[in-house]
Amino acid sequence: MTVRNALEVATTTDAGVVRPFNEDAVATELDLGLAIVADGMGGYKAGDVASGMAASIMVEELKRQLHASAADSPARILHDAAGKANQAIFQAARANSQYHGMGTTLVTALFHDNHVYFTHVGDSRLYRLRHGRLTVLTQDHSILHEQVAQGLISSDDAKTSHNRNLVTRAIGVEPEVELETQQQEVETGDIYLLCSDGLNDMVDDADIELALTALQANLPLTARQLVMLANDNGGHDNISVVLVKILKPFPAAEPGKGLLNRLFGWLK
Amino acid sequence: MAKLVLSLDGDMLGHHFIAQDRFSIGRKPHNDMHIDDSSVSKEHAVILTIGNDQVLEDLGSTNGTLVNGNIIRKHILQNNDVIEIGRYQIRYMNQKAQPGMDFDRTLMMAPIHRQRKAHGNAETQDVEPADKALSVARAANANFPLGGVKVLEGAHAGQTLELSRPLATFGKSGVQVAVINRRPHGYTITHVEGRKRPLVNLRPIDEKSHALQEGDEIEVGGEKLVFFLKQ
């Protein structure tokens, strides 16, 4: 598999300092170029069920679809998989009173053919470090994000907001969930960070950027240090971090475009 | 439910509960809090409820709106804030609006545009990047003295560097690098890359992070540093 050798991945998840349980779920599937973070919510330990279901359903669906002979576009596959996860969690929540009201955020990145395809729901994020600059590629589906985006409060005031815990979209809470997928070309040397809000609520973007830039030679250490920074700043929530570093290009193998075909095409 | 206590020169005049999404304060009688006084504008200020936040907004009043002595245009109300409108003081009381109380469990809520349709207040302005907003500066390291290193040998010999950020790396990229972390209980050093581990007082540090003491000598990637704490 070309994508496996083109990526380096490091993963950490931690309950944080305050919460008794870790209700985040992380999953990576290197052969597929897949990385997932989900941040569960809901009653006693139900959040754990929701985030775990979301991660495993995404992995299973993507495995099945990407290996199918007539595979859809990666964006379509991501979209459909997230839709399936939504239905399954919604139904489980309805069928079992213990799980009533459970749901989860989700951020999924699929690395395929020199691109990253991603979808997110809620306030889990995807960041990219490129040439030492950190950019957030996802816009939170949260009340706080909307308050700032609509100019109802300033971004400075947001620090004193009490809406940090209110998401406007989640997986598994309603029968249908609004989904959008995006795609971007990757560059060798890029580092992608998927995280739950336990990281970015506790650690400034400037410090995330510093850690990714300064420590990237040791990706597992970078992931551990990000969690450490969040815990040193209070660790109020579960913290999950998945880092994906692009080591080299990973063009998709095009069926019927072997060496002979390419030669032939060139001669034509 | 949030409560507003109205007073004038220390005498309590009454209280109001904020039950509506838009709670208005002004001299005109239709206001939710009606203050019949010439120091108060007809439509003086409004409190908008969005999620857990109650945002106080001045409506371009003649004498302005103050919170805890500072003039504001918009302000997210915090428990025990004192609002000044004209000659009057209004204390905002809401146990749920405490700094640091915003770490409740995640809940889902309808987006703002759906909620706000009801009162047709769809103003859009000053679009700012929210990513800046969402990160929170915390002074967790405030209690421990600030540290630094004096560079004895290497490219930066003679320099003194303050270690004010949560981490700083030293050494030579691709050869040998170590990170010094500023943590709540002090400074630590950890090996980042290179076959050999950095030396502290001539001894290689182990796999884990190593706590730094005043005067420790560090050797990493051709640099020699002395760690110190500012008194």
Side-chain angles (χ1 to χ4, degrees):
Chain A
M1 281 278 170
T2 53
V3 72
R4 170 180 269 277
N5 302 323
L7 306 179
E8 183 187 352
V9 175
T11 300
T12 315
T13 182
D14 189 89
V17 175
V18 175
R19 298 274 165 91
F21 310 113
N22 189 349
E23 298 193 321
D24 284 0
V26 297
T28 57
E29 199 67 40
L30 259 181
D31 285 337
L32 300 177
L34 178 65
I36 299 167
V37 167
D39 176 354
M41 60 198 215
Y44 182 76
K45 285 192 177 177
D48 190 32
V49 174
S51 62
M53 277 180 77
S56 62
I57 291 168
M58 290 301 285
V59 170
E60 288 315 309
E61 278 300 309
L62 284 157
K63 247 186 206 166
R64 218 158 52 80
Q65 295 298 332
L66 288 169
H67 290 155
S69 49
D72 271 325
S73 75
R76 184 81 235 162
I77 292 173
L78 263 189
H79 183 276
D80 291 351
K84 283 218 167 131
N86 183 69
Q87 279 174 7
I89 294 165
F90 182 73
Q91 277 159 13
R94 287 224 306 195
N96 188 332
S97 63
Q98 272 178 290
Y99 299 158
H100 185 71
M102 74 175 172
T104 183
T105 71
L106 176 71
V107 56
T108 304
L110 177 66
F111 295 85
H112 177 79
D113 196 16
N114 291 334
H115 284 74
V116 55
Y117 297 83
F118 54 99
T119 188
H120 82 291
V121 176
D123 60 1
S124 294
R125 293 185 176 182
L126 176 67
Y127 287 90
R128 181 192 68 203
L129 184 84
R130 176 175 287 173
H131 308 310
R133 276 199 54 192
L134 188 72
T135 312
V136 60
L137 301 182
T138 50
Q139 298 213 310
D140 293 349
H141 303 128
S142 70
I143 293 288
L144 189 53
H145 176 85
E146 292 190 14
Q147 280 177 287
V148 175
Q150 295 184 20
L152 300 172
I153 57 172
S154 76
S155 59
D156 254 7
D157 287 345
K159 288 174 185 170
T160 62
S161 172
H162 310 287
N163 285 338
R164 213 166 290 280
N165 62 325
L166 298 178
V167 298
T168 53
R169 283 190 211 174
I171 293 275
V173 176
E174 288 171 351
E176 297 286 332
V177 64
E178 203 180 331
L179 292 165
E180 72 253 17
T181 55
Q182 301 174 69
Q183 68 188 76
Q184 283 205 352
E185 208 164 330
V186 304
E187 280 183 23
T188 300
D190 283 353
I191 297 176
Y192 293 85
L193 161 66
L194 293 83
C195 65
S196 56
D197 64 337
L199 179 70
N200 54 268
D201 273 353
M202 289 287 135
V203 185
D204 275 338
D205 282 3
D207 288 341
I208 296 175
E209 183 180 280
L210 175 67
L212 291 178
T213 308
L215 304 173
Q216 57 177 277
N218 187 337
L219 217 56
L221 178 71
T222 311
R224 287 199 302 275
Q225 289 243 333
L226 286 173
V227 169
M228 184 184 89
L229 294 185
N231 280 330
D232 281 356
N233 286 347
H236 286 280
D237 202 350
N238 304 152
I239 309 145
S240 294
V241 166
V242 177
L243 295 172
V244 180
K245 188 176 179 181
I246 310 299
L247 303 175
K248 59 184 181 189
F250 47 93
E254 292 176 68
K257 284 214 175 168
L259 183 62
L260 271 177
N261 275 319
R262 263 186 281 149
L263 260 180
F264 185 68
W266 181 70
L267 285 170
K268 263 203 287 201
Chain B
M1 198 187 296
K3 185 168 140 181
L4 297 171
V5 181
L6 178 69
S7 48
L8 177 64
D9 303 327
D11 295 330
M12 200 183 107
L13 303 178
H15 65 257
H16 294 253
F17 289 99
I18 305 177
Q20 47 276 72
D21 286 351
R22 187 180 193 281
F23 183 95
S24 62
I25 304 168
R27 198 173 73 230
K28 282 239 182 149
H30 69 84
N31 281 289
D32 298 307
M33 185 186 268
H34 168 217
I35 311 175
D36 192 9
D37 187 275
S38 61
S39 68
V40 176
S41 293
K42 288 177 205 155
E43 318 284 346
H44 197 110
V46 67
I47 296 171
L48 299 174
T49 300
I50 301 163
N52 298 328
D53 282 346
Q54 296 192 305
V55 184
L56 173 67
E57 220 179 304
D58 183 81
L59 296 175
S61 64
T62 309
N63 294 322
T65 300
L66 283 75
V67 174
N68 305 327
N70 302 311
I71 194 134
I72 61 102
R73 198 177 69 83
K74 273 182 194 176
H75 173 82
I76 301 175
L77 288 165
Q78 311 289 326
N79 189 29
N80 280 323
D81 273 350
V82 176
I83 304 164
E84 288 173 64
I85 287 189
R87 303 190 294 130
Y88 294 80
Q89 299 85 45
I90 303 165
R91 182 176 289 277
Y92 173 79
M93 301 176 82
N94 183 1
Q95 293 296 335
K96 285 185 181 163
Q98 308 252 33
M101 288 286 288
D102 51 335
F103 298 105
D104 293 342
R105 306 192 82 81
T106 305
L107 295 171
M108 183 154 136
M109 190 170 161
I112 295 172
H113 55 85
R114 265 194 253 163
Q115 298 171 35
R116 291 177 69 82
K117 252 182 223 150
H119 41 74
N121 189 350
E123 69 177 290
T124 304
Q125 55 179 32
D126 300 339
V127 176
E128 291 177 74
D131 53 322
K132 185 182 152 212
L134 291 159
S135 60
V136 185
R138 274 163 223 274
N141 299 315
N143 295 328
F144 200 82
L146 190 63
V149 289
K150 197 166 159 37
V151 186
L152 300 181
E153 288 171 24
H156 305 286
Q159 288 184 18
T160 299
L161 305 165
E162 247 181 29
L163 301 171
S164 57
R165 301 286 302 269
L167 62 96
T169 49
F170 294 91
K172 203 168 183 181
S173 179
V175 181
Q176 190 187 38
V177 176
V179 58
I180 297 181
N181 284 110
R182 184 183 188 204
R183 305 199 57 193
H185 49 270
Y187 286 82
T188 60
I189 183 167
T190 308
H191 177 71
V192 178
E193 66 168 322
R195 220 163 33 80
K196 287 186 174 172
R197 297 186 188 286
L199 306 181
V200 173
N201 300 328
L202 302 174
R203 260 191 238 126
I205 60 172
D206 64 18
E207 218 171 302
K208 291 183 179 163
S209 63
H210 177 99
L212 284 173
Q213 311 294 333
E214 168 94 43
D216 276 351
E217 270 194 19
I218 302 156
E219 288 172 65
V220 56
E223 286 191 301
K224 196 171 187 180
L225 319 158
V226 180
F227 175 75
F228 64 85
L229 288 172
K230 286 191 157 182
Q231 294 312 317

